[in-house]
Amino acid sequence: MNVVMIILAVIGGAVLSIQAAINGKLGSQVGVFRSAFLTFSLGALVSALLIFFFEPAHDLTLLGALCGVPYIVIMVLAVQRIGAAVATVAVIFGQLAMSMLIDNFGWLGNEAIHFSATRLGAVVCLGIALYFIYSSNKTDSVKETVSQASPDA
C-alpha cells in the first residue's frame, strides 16, 4: 500500500507541474490574480461536489486551504519568469525542507520522524538539482540571445 501511495504522490506532483505551466501561461494572458481566482473557483466547485457526494461529515479547517493561495499566486508569477522546471524544483525544495522540519518536531499533530544524515543528503541533492536546472536556463538564454544577435542565425 505504501508503494501505491508513493506512486499517487508522484502523479500528484506531475499534475502540479502541469497546473503550474498552464497557470503561468494563463496568468500572462488574463493576469496573475484572475488566474489564481479561476484556479480556486474551479477547484472549490470540484471539491464541493466531491465533498457532497463522497465525504462523511467532519470538522473542517481553513488553514490548509489558505496555504494554497500563496502557492498558486507565486507559481503563476514564477513560471512566467523562470520557467516551469525551475519553479517546480524550487517548490519541491521548499516542500522537502519544511516537511522535514514538520517531521522532526512533530508539528501540526504529526508523529515525529527524526532528522538523519540520509535526509540531509536528500535536501542537498535536491538543492544541487535546483542549481543545475537554474544554471542551464541561464546558459540556454545566453545561447539564444547570442544566436538571435548573430546574422548567421
Side-chain angles (χ1 to χ4, degrees):
M1 188 60 157
N2 287 343
V3 172
V4 171
M5 289 298 116
I6 291 170
I7 291 169
L8 288 174
V10 168
I11 292 169
V15 171
L16 279 177
S17 293
I18 294 167
Q19 179 191 30
I22 291 169
N23 283 350
K25 184 70 171 170
L26 181 63
S28 69
Q29 293 174 351
V30 302
V32 171
F33 295 113
R34 283 187 180 152
S35 175
F37 177 77
L38 289 169
T39 298
F40 282 106
S41 297
L42 289 174
L45 176 63
V46 170
S47 295
L49 291 171
L50 290 172
I51 289 168
F52 181 75
F53 289 108
F54 298 107
E55 280 288 318
H58 50 77
D59 292 333
L60 300 176
T61 180
L62 293 177
L63 182 58
L66 292 175
C67 288
V69 173
Y71 167 76
I72 294 294
V73 172
I74 289 167
M75 288 303 285
V76 169
L77 288 168
V79 167
Q80 294 176 40
R81 289 169 177 77
I82 59 176
V86 175
T88 300
V89 174
V91 165
I92 294 168
F93 184 82
Q95 286 177 319
L96 182 60
M98 182 53 75
S99 297
M100 286 188 188
L101 288 172
I102 291 168
D103 280 352
N104 188 66
F105 296 108
W107 292 343
L108 305 171
N110 289 286
E111 185 177 328
I113 302 171
H114 295 288
F115 197 72
S116 66
T118 54
R119 286 178 162 234
L120 175 61
V123 172
V124 169
C125 287
L126 191 54
I128 292 168
L130 177 57
Y131 171 78
F132 282 125
I133 292 170
Y134 177 70
S135 294
S136 72
N137 276 9
K138 292 193 323 187
T139 303
D140 290 345
S141 70
V142 168
K143 286 179 185 175
E144 185 177 311
T145 302
V146 170
S147 70
Q148 288 175 353
S150 172
D152 297 335

